[in-house]
């Protein structure tokens, strides 16, 4: 396309996208006409991997008509599918599970039909890049490629694993004071009345215990009991789940499901890029680890933790040791400064879950972004019901019709959950921003982009300046010691998470590829936990256990590398948005609240959905400075803390050693 045609197409696109999805199809038709006129019968083929199936029908106009028809029906079918998923996730009954499984099979049949029609076109020869991209997405069928019986089995296993996880309960520590490596269940002589008291669920009961208790044995008991109740029970089902998932991946032209997942990042160097990012960030993590370990030794004793060893995973205030905010109170660098955990103020003000969601929406609207539509407030579940079991893991939902968006969250009145509210509402904002795209483009630029949106706003929300502005902080410690306390509190959330966010899918990719055998799944898990996180289990783990399954995203089958990507790129986003807002000073003091310029830039990126490769979205966000993931902004953000930690750790060991990853030394 010559320069005139290119400029004309862009002008048409800019004008008509405001018309919604209809506008997109007019844009596509106009650009199709332009490219047909200017290029004639020229083939101009793109070299796309053979795994993307293409047929022999060269009629691009017919392909365009097919895409329009598909888009309307896809939205309808997707709505019915999501509706059945929502019904089950918010009410875990057998009837809802069966309805979900039946609807899953119906949706799979629709996908198969669409795939068959789409792959009859010689779409790799089509001239319009948006048309080619839409067909490329349609040419991957996913798990619907499985034969009906295998697909039915896969869906049943998935629902069963999620059901087990979501309904798992444990007994109070008071009913089982003594914990040993051999103790599996309640002693036989426990009375039935005691067993009836075994009703502690992960949210909020167990989570609160892990945050508040400082009893080493109680924490070890809760840690083990949860894994016995959840992950251990799904191991055999997960082994079959892997087999069926890989069958589906191979039917789509991929070596295994891990390769198929990674394809969404559209990068030949993705694995190498991840490892390079981790190497950049490792020194910061090692210094945080060494400092926290020393504080934990002071509290629990060097008979529990070696000064050059890993940290027992149950002592970090979180079931998976994925964030360490729970140890902030007794590890804070400068005690006596105003606390940055505003949970007490939230409780004192009698804040409700609804208040927390209103605070979050007001932040988005202050940037000129979209408010939550009425169905959001009508249908969201923001508190744990008392009359039924639900999947408590917080999640945001797009019902595919451009109207209905919801959040499901068992909200607790804590600062951590206030941040989670912003995270989940960030997903909803992304949905709202790209709602006018065709259904195939209603996704994040890559999965990490979607996770980053709410978190990048939370970086502003958590600043002392902002917390004071919304009346949750009375006093700001605006001095170097206060700054270190603040950065430390953010590091306990962000930096502590990085290795966990990285290793989750390293483990899973190894299972999918066969590089890790099913006979060593749990051992390999703890090898990775030791290597990357420097944590260890408080009680001996064996292949009778299945500790990865005690984390929702394993039974829930949610790819996890997106979170590692998000924790890197959200700081790139933060830096770019702060520059747009005209912020001056250290990056960690930036609050983009009420900046319409920052909101305009963010909206520009979010509206793209997945219509362009994520590298183009990154280039827009950074003002053309880069189209890659870059750890430099996160290092810049934490630089004062990095220097402080290095000074604190001068005479102490960085890193950790252990001869056996399956038990703390």
């Amino acid at each position: 396309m010559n320069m005139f045609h290119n400029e004309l197409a862009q002008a048409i696109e800019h004008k008509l996208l405001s018309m919604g999805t209809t506008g997109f199809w007019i844009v596509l038709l106009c650009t199709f006409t332009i490219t047909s006129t200017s290029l004639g019968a020229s083939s101009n083929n793109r070299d796309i991997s053979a795994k993307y199936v293409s047929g022999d029908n060269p009629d691009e106009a017919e392909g365009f008509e097919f895409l329009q028809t598909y888009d309307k029906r896809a939205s309808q079918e997707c709505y019915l599918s999501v509706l059945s998923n929502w019904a089950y996730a918010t009410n875990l009954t057998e009837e809802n599970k069966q309805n979900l499984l039946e609807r899953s099979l119906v949706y799979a049949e629709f996908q198969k039909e669409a795939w068959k029609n789409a792959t009859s076109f010689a779409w790799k020869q089509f001239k319009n890049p948006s048309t080619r991209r839409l067909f490329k997405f349609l040419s991957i069928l996913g798990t619907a490629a499985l034969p009906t019986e295998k697909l039915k089995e896969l869906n049943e296993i998935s629902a069963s694993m999620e059901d087990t996880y979501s309904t798992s309960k444990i007994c109070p520590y008071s009913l089982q004071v003594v914990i040993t490596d051999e103790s599996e269940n309640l002693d036989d002589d426990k009375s039935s009345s005691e067993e009836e008291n075994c009703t502690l669920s992960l949210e909020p009961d167990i989570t609160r215990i892990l945050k508040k208790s400082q009893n080493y044995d109680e924490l070890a008991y809760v840690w083990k009991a949860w894994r016995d109740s959840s992950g251990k029970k799904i191991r055999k089902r997960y082994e079959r789940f892997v087999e069926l998932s890989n069958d589906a991946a191979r039917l789509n032209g991929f070596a295994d499901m891990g390769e198929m997942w990674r394809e969404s990042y559209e990068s030949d160097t993705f694995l190498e890029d991840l490892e390079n990012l981790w190497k950049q960030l490792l020194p910061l993590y090692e210094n945080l680890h060494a400092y926290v370990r020393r504080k934990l030794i002071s509290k629990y004793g060097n008979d529990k933790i070696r000064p050059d060893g890993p940290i027992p995973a149950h002592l970090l205030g979180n079931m998976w040791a994925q964030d360490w905010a729970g140890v902030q109170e007794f590890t804070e660098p400068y005690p006596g400064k105003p606390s940055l955990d505003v949970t007490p103020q939230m409780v004192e003000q009698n804040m409700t879950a609804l208040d927390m969601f209103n605070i979050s929406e007001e932040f988005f609207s202050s940037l000129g972004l979209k408010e939550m539509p009425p169905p959001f407030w009508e249908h969201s579940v923001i508190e744990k019901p008392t009359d039924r079991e639900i999947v408590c893991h917080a999640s945001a939902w797009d019902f595919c019709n451009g109207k209905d968006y919801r959040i499901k969250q068992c909200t607790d009145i804590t600062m951590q959950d206030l941040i989670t509210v912003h995270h989940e509402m960030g997903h909803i904002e992304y949905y709202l921003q790209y709602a006018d795209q065709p259904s195939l483009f209603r996704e994040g630029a890559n999965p990490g982009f979607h996770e980053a949106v709410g978190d990048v706003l939370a970086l502003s929300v958590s600043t002392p300046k902002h917390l004071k502005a919304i009346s949750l902080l009375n006093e700001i410690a605006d001095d170097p010691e206060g700054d270190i306390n603040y950065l430390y509190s953010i590091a306990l959330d962000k930096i502590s998470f990085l290795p966990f966010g990285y290793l989750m899918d390293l483990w899973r990719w190894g299972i999918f590829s066969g590089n890790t055998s099913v006979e060593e799944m749990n051992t390999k898990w703890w090898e990775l936990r030791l290597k990357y996180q420097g944590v260890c289990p408080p009680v001996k783990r064996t292949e009778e256990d299945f500790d990865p399954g005690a984390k929702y995203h394993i039974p829930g089958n949610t790819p996890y590398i997106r979170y590692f990507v998000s924790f890197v790129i959200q700081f790139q986003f933060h830096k770019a948005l702060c520059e747009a807002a005209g912020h001056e000073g250290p990056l960690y003091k930036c609050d983009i609240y009420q900046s319409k310029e920052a909101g305009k830039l963010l909206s520009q990126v979010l509206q793209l959905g997945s219509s362009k490769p994520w590298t183009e979205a990154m280039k827009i966000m950074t003002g053309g400075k880069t189209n890659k993931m870059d750890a430099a902004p996160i290092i810049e953000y934490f630089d004062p803390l990095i220097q402080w930690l290095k000074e604190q750790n001068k005479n102490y060991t960085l890193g950790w050693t252990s001869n056996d990853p399956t038990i703390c030394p």
Side-chain angles (χ1 to χ4, degrees), residues 572 614-630 633:
Q572 290 181 263
W614 70 267
T615 49
E616 294 189 30
M618 179 65 81
K619 194 170 184 179
I620 293 171
M621 176 63 84
T622 61
K625 294 177 182 177
T626 184
N627 65 353
K628 300 180 183 297
M629 296 184 289
D630 182 11

Side-chain angles (χ1 to χ4, degrees), residues 5 33 117 136 142 173 245 289 319 397 417 502 534 563 644:
H5 288 137
T33 303
N117 290 327
K136 179 183 178 182
Y173 178 61
S245 297
H289 181 281
M319 179 56 78
W397 297 63
D417 269 20
Y502 186 28
Y563 299 102
W644 185 87

Side-chain angles (χ1 to χ4, degrees), residues 20-33:
T21 308
T22 301
F24 176 90
W25 294 115
I26 296 174
V27 170
L28 199 57
L29 178 59
C30 290
T31 53
F32 162 69
T33 303

Side-chain angles (χ1 to χ4, degrees), residues 60-229:
E60 188 164 352
E62 185 180 341
F64 171 79
E65 292 177 4
F66 162 75
L67 289 173
Q68 283 186 298
T69 302
Y70 165 82
D71 191 65
K72 292 178 182 177
R73 189 175 167 199
S75 294
Q76 296 168 352
E77 294 292 338
C78 179
Y79 171 76
L80 294 173
S81 179
V82 176
L83 196 64
S84 65
N85 272 276
W86 174 267
Y88 178 59
T90 56
N91 190 7
L92 292 169
T93 67
E94 187 60 29
E95 179 183 0
N96 284 342
K97 181 194 289 187
Q98 292 307 314
N99 289 339
L100 166 63
L101 294 173
E102 290 173 14
R103 175 49 57 181
S104 296
L105 293 177
V106 171
Y107 190 51
E109 286 304 311
F110 162 71
Q111 291 175 304
K112 287 178 181 178
E113 176 192 349
W115 179 87
K116 183 178 179 180
N117 290 327
T119 55
S120 69
F121 290 96
W123 57 269
K124 296 179 184 180
Q125 301 175 20
F126 290 172
K127 311 300 184 295
N128 186 283
S130 289
T131 302
R132 288 199 304 270
R133 188 167 178 82
L134 287 165
F135 272 102
K136 179 183 178 182
F137 286 1
L138 266 176
S139 71
I140 299 297
L141 183 52
T143 56
L146 288 169
T148 301
E149 286 305 310
K150 281 193 172 183
L151 179 60
K152 183 178 179 182
E153 183 185 2
L154 178 66
N155 290 341
E156 288 174 347
I157 291 173
S158 297
S160 174
M161 290 193 301
E162 189 162 347
D163 188 34
T164 297
Y165 181 93
S166 299
T167 59
S168 290
K169 303 285 192 298
I170 71 169
C171 306
Y173 178 61
S174 59
L175 292 185
Q176 191 172 338
V177 175
V178 179
I179 180 170
T180 68
D181 291 351
E182 292 75 27
S183 61
E184 296 294 338
N185 302 300
L186 282 174
D187 296 337
D188 293 338
D189 60 354
K190 293 289 182 184
S191 69
S192 60
S193 62
E194 286 178 320
E195 291 186 20
E196 289 174 1
N197 291 324
C198 297
T199 59
L200 298 183
S201 58
L202 181 63
E203 298 289 350
D205 307 314
I206 302 172
T207 298
R208 287 176 178 171
I209 293 170
L210 289 165
K211 288 179 180 177
K212 295 179 180 179
S213 175
Q214 294 177 14
N215 181 323
Y216 187 97
D217 292 333
E218 180 182 20
L219 292 171
Y221 161 72
V222 167
W223 186 95
K224 180 180 185 295
W226 171 251
R227 282 156 177 77
D228 289 345
S229 179

Side-chain angles (χ1 to χ4, degrees), residues 21 25 56 84 261 268 292 334 354 356 386 402 457 496 517-518 525 561 574 628 660 663:
T21 308
W25 294 115
D56 55 12
S84 65
W261 282 358
D268 293 332
V292 171
Y334 296 104
L354 182 59
M356 293 162 69
T386 58
L457 299 190
S496 66
S517 69
V518 294
W525 171 254
I561 200 66
H574 184 58
K628 300 180 183 297
D660 184 356
I663 183 67

Side-chain angles (χ1 to χ4, degrees), residues 516-535:
T516 299
S517 69
V518 294
E519 291 80 18
E520 59 177 357
M521 288 197 300
N522 210 52
T523 301
K524 186 64 177 179
W525 171 254
W526 284 106
E527 287 177 2
L528 291 170
R529 297 289 304 271
L530 177 65
K531 177 180 178 180
Y532 288 99
Q533 269 191 291
V535 300

Side-chain angles (χ1 to χ4, degrees), residues 533-646:
Q533 269 191 291
V535 300
C536 56
V539 295
K540 180 68 175 178
R541 312 314 286 156
T542 72
E543 291 304 325
E544 293 294 314
D545 301 304
F546 186 53
D547 296 326
K551 173 66 177 171
Y552 171 79
H553 299 74
I554 300 299
N557 194 37
T558 304
Y560 209 76
I561 200 66
R562 63 184 62 182
Y563 299 102
F564 177 80
V565 169
S566 162
F567 273 52
V568 172
I569 66 176
Q570 65 187 247
F571 286 88
Q572 290 181 263
F573 291 4
H574 184 58
K575 183 176 176 67
L577 294 173
C578 289
E579 290 173 352
H583 171 73
E584 296 181 357
L587 191 55
Y588 63 88
K589 290 194 174 185
C590 171
D591 175 12
I592 63 170
Y593 184 55
Q594 298 181 335
S595 170
K596 296 298 191 291
E597 287 303 312
K600 182 179 178 181
L601 174 59
L602 183 58
S603 177
Q604 186 180 0
V605 172
L606 302 189
Q607 287 175 6
L608 291 174
S610 60
S611 64
K612 306 289 185 183
W614 70 267
T615 49
E616 294 189 30
M618 179 65 81
K619 194 170 184 179
I620 293 171
M621 176 63 84
T622 61
K625 294 177 182 177
T626 184
N627 65 353
K628 300 180 183 297
M629 296 184 289
D630 182 11
I634 193 172
I635 294 172
E636 175 189 345
Y637 183 98
F638 286 105
D639 183 65
L641 179 67
I642 294 172
Q643 305 310 319
W644 185 87
L645 286 172
K646 285 180 177 178

